[in-house]
Amino acid sequence: MSKQAEFAVILKMNAMFADLGGDELQRLSNLCHTQHLANGEVLFQKGDAGDALFGVRRGQVRIETGASDGSRLTLNFMGPGDLFGEVAVLDGQSRTADATAGEASELFVLRREDFLSFLEREPKVAIKIIALLCQRIRWQSERMEESMLQPLPVRLARRLCALAADFGSEVHISQEQLGIFVGAARESVNRQLQAWRKEAILDLQRGRILLRNMTKLTAIARNE
């Protein structure tokens, strides 16, 4: 399968492009090129020009932001099949967060000028994008509510379930990164993970978490 065909498959899996026909997807995917990132390499930083839409072919990209005290907050993890950069590539404004490769990665890149030209020819895609942005707003509102109202076990279980949906039962993430992701101290995260390890819900290894009982973890995520 060619890289363009792979990108077409990724586009098809995304809600923004799901209703496009094969010919439309192929025309759009033909506009892309690929970019390689080394582990830890910065793709873009907050404030950079939003000049491209990205899709992950392989690897992992962390979407992060920083505070004045130097701390970091991981907003999301992007894995194979994920698209990101939609907001900045649509409005042409600066990036709202940093993107850094969590491991060696290969990305599909669709430049803003090519994408906007395509949207002018395909208005139904523009309508899909509006729906997608509304979905993102809802997602951010849910995360804010979650961080304020839900206890740590629920927040932690939800993040692990979300990561498992993207990366499978073996999640490569440090406890420090996970703590930043759920807004909790590493020590608190470690205590909860150790408790779940004793219950055989998961197993802990250096730099990764092996999820053993997704049924129970999902029940915790649902606060059942």
Side-chain angles (χ1 to χ4, degrees):
M1 181 183 293
S2 69
K3 290 184 178 180
Q4 282 72 24
E6 288 184 36
F7 189 40
V9 172
I10 290 176
L11 291 171
K12 186 67 175 178
M13 293 189 300
N14 187 276
M16 189 188 328
F17 305 102
D19 289 343
L20 293 183
D23 291 341
E24 295 166 323
L25 288 171
Q26 191 60 53
R27 290 197 300 273
L28 187 56
S29 63
N30 285 341
L31 300 174
C32 81
H33 66 276
T34 56
Q35 179 177 347
H36 291 82
L37 296 175
N39 182 24
E41 184 175 351
V42 175
L43 175 63
F44 56 74
Q45 293 181 307
K46 183 177 180 178
D48 287 351
D51 59 355
L53 169 70
F54 299 95
V56 182
R57 186 185 186 209
R58 61 180 178 85
Q60 181 194 89
V61 176
R62 299 191 305 270
I63 307 301
E64 303 174 314
T65 189
S68 58
D69 62 0
S71 62
R72 304 291 296 169
L73 174 64
T74 300
L75 303 175
N76 211 344
F77 289 92
M78 298 298 174
D82 288 335
L83 294 178
F84 62 98
E86 299 95 332
V87 173
V89 81
L90 284 170
D91 64 14
Q93 300 298 309
S94 58
R95 299 289 184 185
T96 57
D98 304 336
T100 305
E103 59 187 70
S105 303
E106 183 178 4
L107 308 179
F108 294 109
V109 183
L110 182 59
R111 295 295 177 189
R112 182 172 188 266
E113 56 268 26
D114 296 328
F115 187 41
L116 293 183
S117 295
F118 180 82
L119 290 182
E120 291 177 356
R121 301 189 300 270
E122 302 288 347
K124 64 181 179 181
V125 181
I127 295 173
K128 277 285 182 179
I129 290 174
I130 293 172
L132 176 69
L133 294 178
C134 292
Q135 182 182 15
R136 292 287 178 88
I137 292 172
R138 292 177 184 273
W139 185 89
Q140 292 289 354
S141 297
E142 289 172 1
R143 299 290 78 74
M144 184 178 297
E145 179 182 354
E146 179 182 280
S147 65
M148 295 176 63
L149 301 178
Q150 296 297 339
L152 176 59
V154 174
R155 304 201 312 270
L156 194 56
R158 288 180 180 178
R159 297 284 66 75
L160 289 173
C161 287
L163 291 169
D166 283 336
F167 304 108
S169 61
E170 184 174 316
V171 178
H172 291 257
I173 186 173
S174 69
Q175 293 183 29
E176 182 178 5
Q177 289 174 322
L178 192 56
I180 293 172
F181 203 27
V182 300
R186 180 191 179 282
E187 293 76 12
S188 299
V189 170
N190 179 261
R191 283 195 295 271
Q192 185 60 61
L193 293 177
Q194 292 293 347
W196 285 344
R197 182 183 61 81
K198 292 178 181 178
E199 297 177 38
I201 296 175
L202 51 79
D203 193 13
L204 302 174
Q205 297 187 10
R206 186 176 180 85
R208 58 181 179 163
I209 300 171
L210 306 179
L211 305 178
R212 303 298 192 191
N213 190 334
M214 286 302 302
T215 300
K216 193 163 186 179
L217 190 65
T218 299
I220 295 171
R222 293 174 178 169
N223 206 11
E224 295 176 351

